[in-house]
């Protein structure tokens, strides 16, 4: 059995940066797919970025491409999300997900592909 523990949320001004980190214990770090999702007020949970176990195949939401970078730290067994040039619309609760199944070799941005979830961490971006 494993756990996903997210950290690094907080507040930033528009144009600033934040780094989220998800520590995965047990078997979860060996998942085929892991990813970051977010729930923005009034909307369903949406995919932000995913990464395959090989650490090379990534998938990003159009809204964050060029600004966010997902990465793995195999020594620490963490999945990290570097958020640069953040915008107020990035405000929300961010969740780490694991035990995802790839479809056609792609780790999709669809929440129902993932079985295990961590507690959310809040990100607030002010104008």
């Amino acid at each position: 059995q494993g756990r996903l523990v997210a950290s690094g949320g907080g507040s930033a001004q528009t144009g600033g940066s934040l780094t989220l980190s998800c520590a995965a214990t047990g078997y979860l770090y060996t998942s085929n797919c892991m990813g970051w999702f977010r729930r923005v007020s009034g909307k369903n949970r949406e995919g932000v970025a995913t990464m395959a176990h090989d650490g090379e195949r990534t998938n990003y939401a159009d809204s964050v491409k060029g600004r966010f970078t997902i990465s793995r730290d195999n020594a620490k067994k963490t999945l990290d999300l570097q958020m640069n040039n953040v915008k107020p619309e990035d405000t929300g609760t961010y969740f780490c997900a694991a035990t995802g199944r790839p479809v056609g070799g792609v780790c999709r941005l669809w929440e129902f592909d993932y079985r295990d979830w961590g507690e959310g961490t809040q990100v607030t971006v002010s104008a």
Side-chain angles (χ1 to χ4, degrees):
Q1 192 170 359
R3 291 183 61 204
L4 299 170
V5 179
S7 61
S11 299
Q13 292 188 324
T14 297
S17 297
L18 287 168
T19 302
L20 305 183
S21 185
C22 174
T25 65
Y27 65 92
L28 293 178
Y29 191 72
T30 61
S31 299
N32 287 326
C33 296
M34 296 182 70
W36 284 97
F37 291 73
R38 67 186 180 189
R39 179 176 287 121
V40 177
S41 178
K43 296 184 178 181
N44 293 331
R45 189 158 53 186
E46 61 181 11
V48 176
T50 63
M51 175 172 271
H53 181 62
D54 61 11
E56 295 183 0
R57 288 172 288 156
T58 58
N59 196 7
Y60 292 92
D62 288 342
S63 60
V64 306
K65 281 181 182 177
R67 300 189 298 121
F68 291 9
T69 302
I70 191 170
S71 62
R72 298 169 67 102
D73 186 323
N74 291 332
K76 296 179 180 179
K77 293 188 177 181
T78 61
L79 181 75
D80 302 322
L81 185 69
Q82 177 64 41
M83 307 167 62
N84 295 330
N85 191 23
V86 294
K87 303 175 180 180
E89 51 264 43
D90 295 322
T91 294
T93 304
Y94 284 68
F95 300 87
C96 176
T99 326
R101 60 181 183 87
V103 177
V106 176
C107 295
R108 299 188 299 182
L109 296 166
W110 194 47
E111 63 175 316
F112 296 105
D113 282 347
Y114 298 80
R115 188 184 71 188
D116 293 280
W117 294 85
E119 298 293 329
T121 185
Q122 180 66 31
V123 168
T124 302
V125 181
S126 57

